[in-house]
Amino acid sequence: MVDDAERQFNEHNIAEFRSNGGKVGGQFEGTPLLLLTSTGARSGAVRTNPIAYFDIDGHIYVVGSSAGRDRDPAWVFNIRAHPGVTVEIGADPPRAVTARELPRAERDSLYPAIVELAPGFADYEKRTDRVIPVFELVPA
């Protein structure tokens, strides 16, 4: 569940992203971010989250790391229930994509490439016993 402080933090970063052509400063300086808009798994409410993404061999991936917490982030529950989502990357207009969760073997073979691009994801994996999910965002 997202608390008020986290919601305000996300709202600030979403506004900064949209006003700066997809760039966000602070702790996200230099991190490729996208805005993922999904439908709430239970509520049906529209939710937008800034999420780090990885462009690997022309495919876009997002990782449900939750910074190594023992629970998937809320957006993971949402896209599992409703995989048709919208993404905003840079200054490009929003576009419809389908979030495809990678099967375990495919996820395991890709995760080292993610860690190479963002070493902190190795630490996230060590902090939790859950398998951190990876999703490919496939054009709809």
Side-chain angles (χ1 to χ4, degrees):
M1 182 144 221
V2 179
D3 64 20
D4 286 339
E6 189 173 348
R7 185 165 281 121
Q8 287 179 339
F9 178 76
N10 281 346
E11 287 173 7
H12 169 79
N13 287 310
I14 290 165
E16 187 175 350
F17 180 102
R18 288 182 172 150
S19 66
N20 293 320
K23 300 213 181 315
V24 177
Q27 73 184 61
F28 297 116
E29 183 80 37
T31 300
L33 288 182
L34 58 74
L35 298 183
L36 177 85
T37 300
S38 60
T39 301
R42 282 186 239 136
S43 70
V46 174
R47 306 276 188 216
T48 300
N49 297 94
I51 301 172
Y53 75 93
F54 301 91
D55 185 336
I56 300 173
D57 297 328
H59 299 270
I60 302 296
Y61 299 96
V62 292
V63 180
S65 68
S66 197
R69 293 182 193 101
D70 287 328
R71 182 177 165 93
D72 290 331
W75 63 262
V76 167
F77 294 98
N78 295 346
I79 67 176
R80 282 179 175 149
H82 306 285
V85 299
T86 302
V87 295
E88 297 171 56
I89 297 176
D92 294 341
R95 63 184 167 148
V97 297
T98 301
R100 178 184 75 88
E101 187 166 3
L102 301 187
R104 180 68 188 263
E106 189 177 349
R107 177 254 180 233
D108 289 352
S109 69
L110 182 71
Y111 206 81
I114 291 167
V115 168
E116 188 173 319
L117 293 168
F121 281 80
D123 294 332
Y124 299 157
E125 195 169 39
K126 290 175 188 168
R127 291 183 197 163
T128 185
D129 291 331
R130 71 182 171 88
V131 175
I132 293 175
V134 177
F135 297 83
E136 180 182 6
L137 302 179
V138 181

